[in-house]
Structure formats: C-alpha cells, structure tokens
C-alpha cells in the first residue's frame, strides 16, 4: 500500500466544512501554536520536511501533536487521587476505525487543526483519509466495545479496555469477478502513532505442562508447572472522552517469545529451526479470527483467549495490590466485564491466582470471583455458543481444567439439593457437555462465574431467559439483566454526518452534543417544511458524496435523487441479505414486464464481509454482484433500478454510507439478531427502517412509533412455532406466484448465463430446508417495500418520519447504556453527567 489514496472513502471526496459548534471547541487554543507543534512533530518525530512529507507523514505528525494534548490530561488523571473502583472491559475485539477525528472532535480541536494544516498547505481531509482503519474486530460485537470505550471516557467511568494487538486485523475484502477475495490487512505497516509501546510491562503466560501438589504450612497447595511460556507486552492507546474531560486506556497485548532465538539450534547450524519457536509463540497475536457468529474452534484461538485473559488479570491485580495492598477486597475496587464468552477462561484463571498464588480458601476465592465478574451474552444461535474439547483444555490448561471440574461439582451439588432427582436440570447446567464428545461450555462457565449476566436488547434478554439459560435463570433469578446496546453519537452523528449535525444545531441548538435527549426538541419541528428543505439539502450532498464513491469503486453511476435502500452488515444467512435480493429480482422482473409503469427510482446498496470459510455467505455476495451486473446493464431499466455491492465494508465505509441512506434494511429472522447497532446508526441519521421485530428493532419501533417504521414478517414466537411444526417452504412458494418466478429465474441462470447452474443448489436448498424462513416472510416483505414506495412519494410525510427518527433515538446513545452498566452491574459512579 502506498499513501496514494485509491478510492473514497479512503480518498477525500469533498467533505463539508465542519461547523465550529460541532465540536466541544476548546477556547484559547492558538492555531499558530498548533501549527508549530505539527511542524515540529513532522521534523523531529517523523524525520521529514514539509517539502518531502507524504500525506501519511502529515497524518502521523498531526496525530502526534494531538496525542500530546491527550497525554497531558492522561498524566494529570493518573497523578491525581486514584478512583475508588475501576472497570476492566475484556474483549477479544475492538473495531475502532480511524481515530484522528475522534480525538479532534472530543478535544474540540477540529477547527483549529484544520486551519493549522491549511496554513501549511495541507488538506485535512486528505490527512484524515491517510489513516488506516484499526479493524481489530469482525462486526457489531467489536464495534460495541469501541463505542463503550468512548462512552466510558465521556461520562467518566474510570476504565481499561483489554484486548489483543493483532498484527493483522480483519481481512481486506476484494472482488474478483464478483467473488469475495480475502487479502491480508496491514494496519501497522507504517506504525501506529496513537499507541505507546511498553516493553517493560510484560507478564508471563503459561501453557501446557502439569500440576504438582506440594505441602506447605497450611496444607496441600497446587502448583502449575507450564511447559511453555509466552510474554504478554502492553501497548497503550489513550482514549479521550467528550470535551477531553476524562482519559481512559485501551491496553492491547502483544505476544513475545521469552527467548528470541534458540542458540542451541543456531549453533548446530539449524538457522530456521533456531527461530521456529519464536515464530510459533508470537503467532498468538498475529491475526484476528475472521469468523463472526461461529466459534473458531482451533487451538490457536484458545491460546489467544487465555493469553489476553491472563495478562489482563495479572495486570489489574498488580495495580490493585499496588493501590490497596491485599487481594481480599478485589471486588470493592474492580469490576470485570466479559464481552461474550471469549474471555470466560478468566473465571478459572482468577480462581487459580487467588487460591494457588495468594493462598485464599476456595469459598472466599469463589465469592470474590463472582462479585468481580459480569458477562454479556451476544448470541442465542446454538452453532455460535462457544465450547472447547476437554482433552484440549486438559493439555493446554491443566490447572484450569481441575478448577472447572471443581466449580462444576460444587454447582451441581447445590442444584441437586434444591431440585432433587432432576437429572435433566443437572445435564443442562453442567459446565461439561457430555453429548458432543465432552466439551467445556464457555457460556455456562461465564454465567456461573458472574454476579450479573446481560443480554443486549429487551427481546434478546427475554429469549435468553427462556432458551439458552432457562435452567440457570431458574436457579439464579436475579442474575440476568438487560442492557440494550447503544452507539456513540459523537462518531455516528457529529463526525460521520457534519452536514446533518450543523442543520440540527441550527434548529435546536448545540445542547444535543452533550445530551442526546435534546434531540427530542426536534419533535415540534417535525412538520416544518423549511427544516425539511435544509435536511433534504444536507442529505442530497451526502448522497452525491456516496455516489462518487460508488462511481470510483464500482464504476456505476447512481442517481442521488433515487431512494438509497441500504443493507450493510456482515453477510450471514440469518441477516437475510438473500431476502433483500429476492425482492430486488421481483421488482426487476416486474419492471421488465411493465416498463411503462411509473416506477420509483431506487438504488439497492449492499456491503459486508463473509467469513472466508462460509460458503453460503460468499455465494450470496456473488449473487448480489451477478444481479447487479444484469440489472445495471439492462437498458430497459433506464437507470430506475441500480444494484451496488460496495467492497470492503469497514467503519470508515459505514461512516460514508450511513449519512446517505434513506432506507435501513434490518430484516433478520425474528429471534436471531441479538440487538444490532447498525439499525441505531441509520435511524439516528434519519433513515427509515424496514425491519422485522427482532433485536433492538423492537425498541426502535417503541421509540419512533409505528407510523415512522416499516415492520413486517413473523415474530420471534411465530418463527418458533413454525419451526416446531416443521416449515414447508415449497408450500410457501406455491402460494406466491411472484416468489415462484423469482426463484425460477435465479435457478435457471438468468443472472448467471456464464454458469447457468451456479444457483441451482442455493434455490433447491431454500426449498428443502429454509432454516431462516426467507420464503415465509417474502410476501410480507414485498408488501412492506410497497408501503415504503408510497411514503417516499409523499415527500413531507417521509421527511416528517425521518425527523422523528432522529429526534427519538437519543435513548440509543451508548452513554445511556454505559450509565446503566455502571449503576446496575459495576456499582461505579460516573464522574460526569
Ligand atoms: C455498526 C457496525 C456493524 C454492526 O452492524 P449490524 O447491522 O448491527 O450487524 C458491523 N460492522 C461495522 C463496520 C459497523 O460499523
């Protein structure tokens, strides 16, 4: 990669001037001084002159200058009195994106830095685009962690985020002939100006070996003698909250071999072998597992999980002992949140540390552990529930396996006392799954080791109580709570959509930047035609920007006045991109049959990555591209229908698409999307949702009201009932002539003349076992799309609904979510707001 921007949003399409009021303008920051600082960084830190500097050099120099200001506050925070209690957010994924405008916006420096750079002859939009996305996550779960980091710093929850500093984040998605290609991602290749390497902060992480029982004064004690040791080295990124009031730390661990080279092997002349151990050990932090909603299953993944869980626990206990002297009061000062089950091995790891190292008795150690941990569940899909083979655990983490067996024995005994004779209960709450070749159930481990367990939307939490954790919920009725997800408005409104933000500030004042609930002030203005005009103008400009990106990347020109119908998210069968494609084909067929009808211009926009091993998802991408090619080149369409699959969906592309979206597709099979956060980003930016009653869509509808959202399809209960009865897709297709025709045209190769049988199995599969009830919901979805058309033709009604969406989604701010975690799970008091 060079720093020559290839295509937007990596290249600077004309971005609007950011309204001065759109950030927390820090008074008295001298532009001349900033300019000098940036110049000094360029020369002394980057080693370039303005004459020889590339855009990337300017980015690095600017980032250093901005970072210095964050560090001043960071140092001040650390020098002052230490907080009573800290939160540790353990997550294997942080889907961060770019950080420059995050930092500028939160510090209120956007205007000044823009001006300082412009005085140096440098366009800040080019500098912005030179920053690579930090893509250390797959999708919603990792993005949630990133939004939470911003919110914790903004409302003043003292916190560390802990994760892995992957050398390679999520793969870059390319397209060859319409098929997804995966290319390695290289975000660190030019260094990372935001982070501080701390090679002196290192912890030893053991693997393998055996457990010894030794006798000391107090009785038998267990000592784990690992066969192998890896060092975890810290890399810190300061995270500045809104108006720079508080700065937290994201600490990511990198693996380092204790012995860089085996001199024995080297001296024998085995030069490659001399390095082999090092390569193997350091592979732990090499790459992010790119699968979403399915556990990766390999040994390296388990090594990653233990590596970062252990390093994080050692680190936070070290800090705790330094501040408080003894480990018994840990839960008074420490709250650890497990983001999904990926860090669940931390539960037996804390037990091991408390018992084997600090000599606590089992009962006391267990009470501390449960009081310290809490766990967020992200999925109910059975295939996504993480479990590890017992033999692998036993080989890699022998002491942890002993502890897991002990936890299990005590829990089962307690349950047996409460419900004598209920063997069914015992087998469902057991940490060991005996049905699939003995595996450790990480969900049960996380649940058992936590004082609170949360779902991520009201519906999801409700289903959790009824399905995966039904028996555990009956035994611990106070443990499960709901914390509906949220998004940070600073990134997803103020930074991503400066035009809309400026218009909103003009209408209701800048208070919305500090308090998202202020957006409600828009409600009385929802019918105001002058406001509609301004909003429409802002949106149109955003749509032109996106049209340029589409032209550059896909070589397709789309009409900015058409309805932009957007489905952007990981490609997954349960998210039902296929349902959207079937409707696209239905309309295409109808337009060809009746070319003279007054069709409404529409652009179908898709983006998303498929896991490399997920064949069905990759075929869906190919189908989208095949349909796009056919439709876009059909002269009878006269540009009235365009289909676009934008490659390489990531945070930056999301920031470019969302402000330009009119319609937000949230059409998962009801009961399968835990929450969704893309739905919130789009509604906030004024897109109307077409969606099922799934995840947070349910709550979005409660907030915006029935008239301002298009809900269709089976409910979660109806899906359950249909599945129980045994759903017959063939009957559903027989009952829908339109669907029949759509499936026939796909199966018969209308969109794949180069390989007419390409989609035969896909269509047959749908007819034989339509697991995600695509055919069941098709007619309802098609009808809902016609309602969309009807409303779109009534411009003022559409605009009114759009305003209401923006006005009513303030509740979905991640500041609200974090406030709830703080008071109901962590028992910490935020210092702001
Ligand atoms: C918000 C976001 C997601 C999550 O989208 P959903 O529609 O909730 O699945 C995934 N990837 C990126 C880059 C995002 O910004």
């Amino acid at each position: 990669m060079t720093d020559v921007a290839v295509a937007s949003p990596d290249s600077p399409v004309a971005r609007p001037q950011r309204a001065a009021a759109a950030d927390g303008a820090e008074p008295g920051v001298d532009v001349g001084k900033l300019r000098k600082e940036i110049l000094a960084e360029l020369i002394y830190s980057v080693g370039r002159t303005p004459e020889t500097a590339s855009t990337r050099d300017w980015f690095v120099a600017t980032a250093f200058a901005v970072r210095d200001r964050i560090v001043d506050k960071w140092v001040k925070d650390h020098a002052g009195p230490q907080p009573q209690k800290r939160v540790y957010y353990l997550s294997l994924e942080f889907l961060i994106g770019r950080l420059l405008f995050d930092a500028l916006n939160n510090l209120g420096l956007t205007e000044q830095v823009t001006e300082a750079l412009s005085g140096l002859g440098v366009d800040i939009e080019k500098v912005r685009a030179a920053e690579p996305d930090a893509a250390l996550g797959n999708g919603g779960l990792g993005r949630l962690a990133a939004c939470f980091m911003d919110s914790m710093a903004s409302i003043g929850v003292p916190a560390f985020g802990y994760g892995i500093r992957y050398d390679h984040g999520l793969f870059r998605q390319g397209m060859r002939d319409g098929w997804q290609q995966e290319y390695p991602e290289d975000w660190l290749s030019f260094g990372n100006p935001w982070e501080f390497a701390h090679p002196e902060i290192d912890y030893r992480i053991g693997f393998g070996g055996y457990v010894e029982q030794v006798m000391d004064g107090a009785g038998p004690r267990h000592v784990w003698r690992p066969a192998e040791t890896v060092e975890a080295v810290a890399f810190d990124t300061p995270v500045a909250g809104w108006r720079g009031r508080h700065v937290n730390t994201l600490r990511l661990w990198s693996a380092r071999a204790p012995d860089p080279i085996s001199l024995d092997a080297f001296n024998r002349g085995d030069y490659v072998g001399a390095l082999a151990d090092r390569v193997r050990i350091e592979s732990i932090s090499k790459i992010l597992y790119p699968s979403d909603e399915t556990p990766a299953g390999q040994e390296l993944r388990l090594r990653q999980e233990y590596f970062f869980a252990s390093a994080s626990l050692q680190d936070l206990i070290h800090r705790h002992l330094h501040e408080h002297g003894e480990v018994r009061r840990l839960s008074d000062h420490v709250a650890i949140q497990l983001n999904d089950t990926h860090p669940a091995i931390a539960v037996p790891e804390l037990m091991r540390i408390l018992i084997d190292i600090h000599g606590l008795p089992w009962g006391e150690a267990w009470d501390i552990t449960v009081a310290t941990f809490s766990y967020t569940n992200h999925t109910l899909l059975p295939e996504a529930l993480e479990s590890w083979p017992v033999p692998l655990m036993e080989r890699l983490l022998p002491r942890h396996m002993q502890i897991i067996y002990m936890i299990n024995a005590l829990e089962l005994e307690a349950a047996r006392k409460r419900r004598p004779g209920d063997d069914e209960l015992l087998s469902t709450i057991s940490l060991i799954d005996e049905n699939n070749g003995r595996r450790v159930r990480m969900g049960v481990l996380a649940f058992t080791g936590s004082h609170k367990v949360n779902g991520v939307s009201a519906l999801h939490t409700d289903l959790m109580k009824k399905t995966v954790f039904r028996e555990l919920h009956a035994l611990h009725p106070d443990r499960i709570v709901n914390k509906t997800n949220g998004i940070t408005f600073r990134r997803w409104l103020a930074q991503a959509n400066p035009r809309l933000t400026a218009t909103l500030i003009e209408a209701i004042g800048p208070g919305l930047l500090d308090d998202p609930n202020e957006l409600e002030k828009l409600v009385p203005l929802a019918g105001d035609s002058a406001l509609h005009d301004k909003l429409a103008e802002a949106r149109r400009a955003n749509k032109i920007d996106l049209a340029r990106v589409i032209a550059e990347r896909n070589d397709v020109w789309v009409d900015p006045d058409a309805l932009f119908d957007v489905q952007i998210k990981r490609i997954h069968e349960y998210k039902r991109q296929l349902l959207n494609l079937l409707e696209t084909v239905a309309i295409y067929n109808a337009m060809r049959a009746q070319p003279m009808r007054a069709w409404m211009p529409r652009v179908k926009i898709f983006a998303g990555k498929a896991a490399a091993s997920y064949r069905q998802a990759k075929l869906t991408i190919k189908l989208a591209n095949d349909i796009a090619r056919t439709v876009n080149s059909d002269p009878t369409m006269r540009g009235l229908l365009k289909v676009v699959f934008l490659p390489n969906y990531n945070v930056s592309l999301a920031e470019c698409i969302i402000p330009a979206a009119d319609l937000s597709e949230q059409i998962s099979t009801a009961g399968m999307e835990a929450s969704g956060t893309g739905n919130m980003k789009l509604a906030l930016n004024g897109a109307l949702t077409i969606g099922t009653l799934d995840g947070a869509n349910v709550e979005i509808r409660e907030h915006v009201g029935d008239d301002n959202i298009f809900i269709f399809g089976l409910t979660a209960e109806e899906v359950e009932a249909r599945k129980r009865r045994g759903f017959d897709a063939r009957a559903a297709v027989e009952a829908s002539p339109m669907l029949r025709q759509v499936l026939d045209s796909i199966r018969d190769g209308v969109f794949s003349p180069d390989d007419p049988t390409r989609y035969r199995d896909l269509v047959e599969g749908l007819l034989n076992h339509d697991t995600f009830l695509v055919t069941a919901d098709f007619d309802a979805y098609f009808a809902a799309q016609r309602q969309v058309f009807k409303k779109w033709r009534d411009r003022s009604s559409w605009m009114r609904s759009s305003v209401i969406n923006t006005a009513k989604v303030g509740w979905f701010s991640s500041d609200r979510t974090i406030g709830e975690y703080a008071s109901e799970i962590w028992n910490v008091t935020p210092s702001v707001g």
Side-chain angles (χ1 to χ4, degrees):
M1 288 263 289
T2 67
D3 73 319
V4 178
V6 196
S8 294
D10 306 324
S11 80
V13 286
R15 303 254 317 176
Q17 281 294 307
R18 282 152 205 279
D23 59 31
E26 189 181 292
V29 177
D30 179 338
V31 172
K33 184 160 171 276
L34 265 173
R35 188 177 301 139
K36 278 201 200 100
E37 287 168 11
I38 294 171
L39 207 51
E41 297 288 2
L42 184 73
I43 295 167
Y44 298 108
S45 302
V46 182
R48 285 284 159 85
T49 63
E51 293 71 36
T52 59
S54 68
T55 309
R56 193 183 284 265
D57 295 328
W58 281 114
F59 157 67
V60 174
T62 309
F64 279 142
V66 173
R67 189 182 71 168
D68 284 354
R69 283 160 189 271
I70 299 175
V71 170
D72 287 341
K73 295 198 158 69
W74 201 24
V75 169
K76 244 184 257 162
D77 279 3
H78 282 257
Q82 292 308 298
Q84 231 347 79
K85 192 167 186 179
R86 281 197 192 84
V87 172
Y88 294 94
Y89 196 84
L90 269 60
S91 179
L92 215 42
E93 303 193 2
F94 287 92
L95 186 49
I96 297 166
R98 292 173 178 148
L99 279 175
L100 180 61
F101 272 79
D102 231 25
L104 291 180
N105 185 53
N106 279 355
L107 296 186
L109 290 175
T110 313
E111 283 307 290
Q112 291 90 331
V113 169
T114 304
E115 215 180 305
L117 282 171
S118 127
L120 292 161
V122 179
D123 176 358
I124 194 164
E125 288 303 334
K126 285 193 180 140
V127 171
R128 185 188 71 92
E131 178 173 5
D133 265 46
L136 309 184
N138 274 284
L141 176 151
R143 185 53 233 173
L144 184 75
C147 282
F148 280 4
M149 288 305 294
D150 181 78
S151 279
M152 288 190 286
S154 289
I155 72 169
V157 170
F160 276 74
Y162 279 128
I164 294 180
R165 180 180 179 271
Y166 302 106
D167 293 350
H168 304 284
L170 187 59
F171 67 86
R172 189 166 57 79
Q173 178 192 54
M175 292 293 163
R176 189 190 296 158
D177 197 21
W179 293 98
Q180 168 177 296
Q181 305 287 316
E182 301 89 30
Y183 301 100
E185 185 281 340
D186 237 358
W187 70 299
L188 292 173
S189 57
F190 288 83
N192 172 7
W194 300 112
E195 72 184 7
F196 290 90
H198 282 297
E200 78 288 2
I201 303 177
D202 62 338
Y203 296 97
R204 306 200 129 220
I205 316 295
F207 289 101
Y210 60 95
V211 180
E212 222 180 330
Q213 210 178 62
V214 297
M215 297 304 278
D216 64 12
R221 205 163 58 83
H222 292 91
V223 181
W224 175 26
R225 311 261 184 229
E228 180 178 36
T229 309
V230 180
E231 284 178 5
V233 180
F235 286 76
D236 287 354
T237 301
V239 179
W242 177 234
R243 297 197 190 278
R245 280 181 290 226
H246 192 88
V247 183
N248 281 329
T249 305
L250 175 62
R251 177 162 284 180
L252 301 178
W253 301 105
S254 184
R256 185 171 68 188
D259 302 311
I261 185 167
S262 158
L263 277 181
D264 271 358
F266 187 83
N267 293 339
R268 271 186 272 115
D270 178 6
Y271 303 121
V272 173
L275 292 168
D277 267 351
R278 174 174 180 184
V279 169
R280 203 173 50 79
I281 285 173
E282 296 184 352
S283 70
I284 288 180
S285 57
K286 272 279 172 286
I287 186 155
L288 164 78
Y289 272 93
S291 55
D292 186 55
E293 307 278 349
T294 39
Q298 293 95 339
E299 177 175 331
L300 180 62
R301 171 72 169 201
L302 182 57
R303 282 178 181 261
Q304 288 185 335
E305 295 184 355
Y306 179 64
F307 165 78
F308 106 100
S310 175
S312 308
L313 284 186
Q314 292 185 54
D315 191 44
L316 70 89
I317 288 173
H318 175 83
R319 185 171 307 108
H320 172 82
L321 290 176
H322 176 73
E323 288 176 6
H324 302 283
E326 61 128 1
V327 82
R328 287 190 159 76
R329 307 285 299 276
L330 188 75
S331 67
D332 291 348
H333 304 289
V334 168
I336 304 175
Q337 188 69 36
L338 305 174
N339 193 23
D340 211 319
T341 56
H342 316 145
I345 194 69
V347 169
E349 171 70 354
L350 181 58
M351 288 296 283
R352 182 185 74 84
I353 293 172
L354 294 176
I355 295 171
D356 295 356
I357 298 175
H358 294 278
L360 264 56
W362 178 280
E364 193 179 359
W366 184 243
D367 290 345
I368 293 172
T369 297
V370 173
T372 303
F373 281 111
S374 45
Y375 149 57
T376 305
N377 172 276
H378 283 273
T379 178
L380 307 171
L381 301 178
E383 70 271 23
L385 296 175
E386 199 182 14
S387 70
W388 291 103
V390 169
L392 171 62
M393 279 275 218
E394 227 142 33
R395 174 163 60 76
L396 218 55
L397 301 168
R399 178 58 181 145
H400 298 77
M401 202 56 232
Q402 289 181 342
I403 292 171
I404 288 168
Y405 275 132
M406 187 68 183
I407 297 171
N408 201 35
L410 295 171
E411 288 295 306
L412 292 180
E413 200 173 286
R416 199 198 317 264
K417 277 195 191 125
R418 290 180 54 182
R419 293 227 228 136
D422 191 345
D423 288 351
E424 175 72 23
L425 168 79
L426 296 188
S427 83
T428 53
I429 67 161
S430 175
L431 268 68
I432 311 292
D433 180 358
E434 306 280 353
N435 301 322
N436 300 296
R438 293 179 60 74
R439 304 175 72 93
V440 180
R441 291 175 170 141
M442 302 306 271
V444 180
L445 178 61
F447 189 110
T448 307
S450 297
H451 64 288
K452 290 287 182 217
V453 174
N454 76 285
V456 289
S457 73
L459 174 66
H460 167 67
T461 301
D462 192 45
L463 292 173
M464 241 168 86
K465 292 179 183 171
K466 292 179 179 154
T467 60
V468 260
F469 294 135
R470 196 164 65 102
E471 307 297 342
L472 283 166
H473 173 58
L475 288 169
H476 306 278
D478 299 330
R479 197 165 289 187
I480 296 182
V481 293
N482 177 244
K483 295 285 159 273
T484 299
N485 282 168
I487 55 171
T488 168
F489 285 23
R490 290 167 287 278
R491 180 180 285 267
W492 295 108
L493 179 63
Q495 286 159 239
N497 201 343
R499 292 189 183 103
L500 174 60
T501 308
T503 311
L504 296 177
I505 287 172
E506 202 186 306
I508 60 170
L512 66 94
L513 298 172
D514 292 280
D515 177 7
N517 295 316
E518 293 242 335
L519 288 167
E520 294 238 17
K521 288 184 176 170
L522 288 167
V523 174
L525 306 175
D528 183 323
S529 66
L531 179 63
H532 290 179
D533 290 345
K534 284 180 193 148
L535 291 171
E537 193 188 332
R539 179 176 305 277
R540 190 165 195 285
N542 292 338
K543 289 170 80 171
I544 291 172
D545 283 354
L546 178 56
R548 291 213 181 102
V549 172
I550 293 171
E552 282 174 46
R553 290 202 178 180
N554 290 39
D555 210 12
V556 173
W557 180 249
V558 301
D559 174 6
D561 292 319
L563 184 150
F564 281 17
D565 175 346
V566 166
Q567 189 171 20
I568 48 173
K569 48 184 76 243
R570 286 299 288 250
I571 311 297
H572 212 293
E573 286 161 285
Y574 85 82
K575 291 178 183 278
R576 299 201 294 192
Q577 279 89 359
L578 185 56
L579 178 58
N580 191 345
L581 289 170
L582 298 185
E583 195 263 347
T584 309
V585 171
I587 279 294
Y588 173 63
N589 289 344
M591 288 171 86
R592 279 202 302 178
Q594 297 175 280
M596 295 324 289
R597 262 181 63 184
W599 296 103
M600 194 191 67
R602 187 164 61 148
V603 185
K604 285 267 188 186
I605 297 168
F606 294 87
K609 291 173 182 174
S613 56
Y614 193 171
R615 281 194 42 221
Q616 200 67 15
K618 293 176 100 170
L619 188 61
T620 304
I621 293 175
K622 175 63 175 163
L623 176 60
N625 282 314
D626 275 347
I627 292 172
R629 185 185 51 191
T630 310
V631 170
N632 297 346
S633 59
D634 185 333
T636 56
M637 291 298 108
R638 290 161 298 145
L640 291 172
L641 178 64
K642 287 276 168 78
V643 181
V644 174
F645 191 104
L646 276 167
N648 203 33
Y649 184 54
N650 60 12
V651 172
S652 290
L653 186 57
E655 287 167 348
C656 171
I657 297 174
I658 289 169
D662 296 304
L663 186 67
S664 160
E665 298 270 356
Q666 308 299 337
I667 59 177
S668 50
T669 315
M672 296 198 170
E673 186 75 88
S675 164
T677 49
N679 46 4
M680 302 169 189
K681 299 167 196 166
L682 284 151
L684 173 62
N685 281 275
L688 272 53
T689 302
I690 182 169
T692 47
L693 282 177
D694 200 13
N697 297 352
V698 176
E699 289 150 274
I700 291 177
R701 177 215 201 194
E702 283 163 12
H703 280 85
V704 304
D706 268 326
D707 294 346
N708 304 304
I709 190 166
F710 304 94
I711 295 291
F712 71 93
L714 299 174
T715 63
E717 263 177 30
E718 289 165 349
V719 166
E720 244 327 283
R722 287 280 183 112
K723 285 192 159 176
R724 233 178 303 118
R725 270 192 277 136
F727 172 65
D728 181 4
R730 287 184 196 274
V733 174
E734 278 323 310
S736 171
M738 182 167 26
L739 179 55
R740 156 102 275 151
Q741 197 203 356
V742 167
L743 292 177
D744 284 350
S745 61
I746 294 173
R747 179 179 40 202
D748 297 345
V750 170
F751 302 97
S752 54
D754 52 323
D755 176 7
T757 63
R758 181 175 295 138
Y759 300 112
R760 206 184 49 202
D761 290 353
L762 185 150
V763 172
E764 285 304 318
L766 202 58
L767 294 173
N768 289 331
H769 21 249
D770 181 6
T771 319
F772 301 95
L773 301 184
V774 171
T775 58
D777 272 343
F778 177 81
D779 283 351
Y781 177 57
F782 189 86
Q785 283 283 10
R786 306 294 71 76
Q787 292 303 311
V788 170
F789 278 35
K790 223 173 110 192
K791 198 176 186 82
W792 180 253
R793 287 187 202 285
D794 181 352
R795 177 172 173 279
S796 81
S797 165
W798 184 278
M799 288 304 297
R800 186 173 191 288
S801 291
S802 170
V803 174
I804 295 285
N805 268 267
T806 303
K808 291 287 197 173
V809 295
W811 188 77
F812 296 94
S813 158
S814 46
D815 296 355
R816 185 270 314 158
T817 314
I818 286 299
E820 290 180 10
Y821 275 90
S823 67
E824 290 159 43
I825 297 181
W826 301 330
N827 193 27
V828 298
T829 313
S831 63
V832 184

